[in-house]
Amino acid sequence: METLVLDFLNSDWHDYRGSGRSEDYFLRVDWRKQFLANWHLDVDAEALDEATLRSLISLRTLLWDIALRMARGEQLADEDIVQLRPFLQSSAVQRDLIKDESGRWQLGLEPLKKDWLWVQSEIATSFIELVTRHDPLRIKTCANGDCGWIFYDSSKNRSRRWCAGYACGNVMTVRRYRARHAQKVGEA
Ligand SMILES: [Zn+2]
């Protein structure tokens, strides 16, 4: 399952191949442009001031912390709500009538201003939707410790261990193969 908040959390990139390299993609304007485009957020990617950038990064740290605790079976704590609320309410919305994809009018919420503070409240909203409408125990981090990518496991028996695609699964298979092979060589 693709969600806005998981995409945002994974902007803190670590090389899944184990080189030890990491990069904060959120600091790159090209990444932010793609992120806004992917989620149809009509905001100027470059109109991000220092204070809002810092605020978004601290939201990311907070969400990582809460997501990992909820993935271990903890509930949202009152203190989490106190910390989340300012991000959720960082942008004002009004009721409006919006045409959906099939051309029908629907009641919806529109931001008074489409800026990065609105994006921030959309990220917080996406997170709260994820943990209240879906199963928080399905939030997982990739079993490849070098990767650390966060994902939502939609598999039937909740058995998925790797992040999107097959890259990490392949990396781990190769590593296990090499480890076994090295062991056998050692035994011989
Ligand atoms: Zn991974």
Side-chain angles (χ1 to χ4, degrees), residues 16 142-144 147-149 162-164 167-169:
Y16 65 90
C142 180
N144 174 6
C147 168
W149 193 277
W162 321 109
C163 65
C168 279

